[in-house]
Amino acid sequence: MWLFGASGSNMPATDQMQVQRIQERPRISRRHPGKPFWYLPVSLAFDASWAAAPVHLALRSAGDTQAMRYAVVAAAAWLFVRTSRGRYALRSLGESGTISAALRDWLVLVGLLAVLCVASGERTPVLLAVAGLAPCGPMAAVFQSLIHRHLRAQRRDGRAVRRALVIGEVSAIEGLVNHLARRTDHEFVVVGLCPVGDEDPDSLIPVHSRLDRQPPPHLSGDSSPVLEAVRGLDVDLVFVAAGPCMAGERLRRLSWAVHGEGRPLIVLPGLSEVARRRVDVSSVAGLTMLHVAPPVRHAGALLLKAASDRLGAILLIVLLAPVFAAVAITVRLGSPGAVLYRQIRMGQGGRPFTMWKFRTMVANAEQLAKELAGTNEQDGRMFKIRRDPRVTRVGRVLRRYSLDELPQLFNVLQGHMSLVGPRPPLPEEVAEYNDVELRRLTVKPGLTGLWQISGRSDLSWDETLALDLRYVDNWSPSVDYGVLCRTLRAVVEGNGAY
């Protein structure tokens, strides 16, 4: 533990701030903290190539003698659009992106080039040029996904990270450090802690202005424990866990000190699992305000989701009809009993409905469940056993590839379920829910969801609940699309399917 005091001052021991150096991990150069240096030039070259090459080939094949010129213009315009929309900002490079963002960029590009053509009087074959530009959006999304995977792999190995010093009340920084330690999909590694107490409000941030009433610039002096920690630990940034003891003028003075050292200051307001699109910042009467938009619940979005669910269910039922028939025959021949298994589950608003599945257990599974009550391997409301003796040999295969869930497409068609949503709970599980857990029932349960693509039965109840609440609070059509795309991979891998 490192102890930083105000050297040359009469600061009492109770006013000193203890800075604990807690871990070390490899890092890349200070010049590009948190991101490999080659992301930017490679991203620029990749986007320019996929804008210029297809346009050049399309126009050259049509005999246009200005093909190269238009290809250069297309590449420059695409880079301009991407730059103006912040796609090459250091904080954005390598982070997860969506196909919808790339599509919006592409639409802006087409509009920009259309305006340029009209303004310059060019007579370029419009449809041919647009066709040539078509690969821009999808390829940009693909490349973003590839470098995101590379960045996540780097972070799992302790590279491409930013060293952080955390300041705040003990309970707040403990929660923050534990949260960051549980995950590897972020760029921060905490290398030091500055816990502060609340015995004396003036002792929370030991700065010169409190001791000798010097002006704020003296906050950057060597006698500040916070600044000595910043220098001694060579941190890239400072986290502040906001709270009653870390707010107002005290936080303002701390920002002066930290910024004077050339380090960014990040204030954590205590919100968690809130999508970035729901948060906006404004300044009113000198106060910084954080606006949190409510979850998407307007009629248009819900109508779109309902229509997509039913249309998707119809298409999947038609396309998978041979699979339905093959699975039904296999279940019938595999063990005695009905082909389909019916079970009461709780839907949106706590309304019960009958859920359908292909039978994967012996016929008297529910009676045997009472005998196995003491063998539950889950730590919460769900009942799961990794090697459940009630599951048949055919049932294990069906569960491994989630084929037993296919009849739930008819539940989607009836409006009881959605293609994407939380797992549908049992009535006895819901009977034990608290107020937080009941929030899972504010949306329709889903055939697939964040739980299914994140490990399924391998997850604890707390992890399952956190994923479901994240979906409930941050739902959007693009979230559903992302979950559906990742479901196929989760089914093939079969992690947590038992």
Side-chain angles (χ1 to χ4, degrees), residues 2 21 33 45 70 75 77 79 97 118 125 164 172 182 190 196 324 361 363 410 423 427 443 445 466 479 489:
W2 291 9
R21 185 174 188 167
Y70 292 130
L79 294 182
V118 172
R182 286 195 299 266
V190 179
V196 295
F324 274 89
M361 293 186 175
F410 291 97
R423 169 189 169 274
V443 299
V479 170
R489 178 182 174 184

Side-chain angles (χ1 to χ4, degrees), residues 230-312:
V230 168
R231 298 168 189 146
L233 294 172
D234 190 28
V235 300
D236 296 308
L237 73 160
V238 175
F239 275 130
V240 175
C245 299
M246 294 297 299
E249 186 67 16
R250 188 171 300 111
L251 184 57
R252 185 187 187 195
R253 290 175 178 272
L254 176 63
S255 70
W256 291 340
V258 173
H259 291 156
E261 286 295 308
R263 307 294 200 276
L265 181 76
I266 299 178
V267 179
L268 301 172
L271 290 173
S272 61
E273 304 298 354
V274 177
R276 186 188 305 175
R277 58 181 171 77
R278 293 178 54 205
V279 179
D280 190 23
V281 180
S282 67
S283 181
V284 178
L287 300 175
T288 301
M289 299 186 178
L290 194 65
H291 301 261
V292 182
V296 178
R297 294 287 188 273
H298 55 81
L302 297 178
L303 181 62
L304 175 63
K305 182 176 176 65
S308 302
D309 285 340
R310 285 176 167 81
L311 179 60

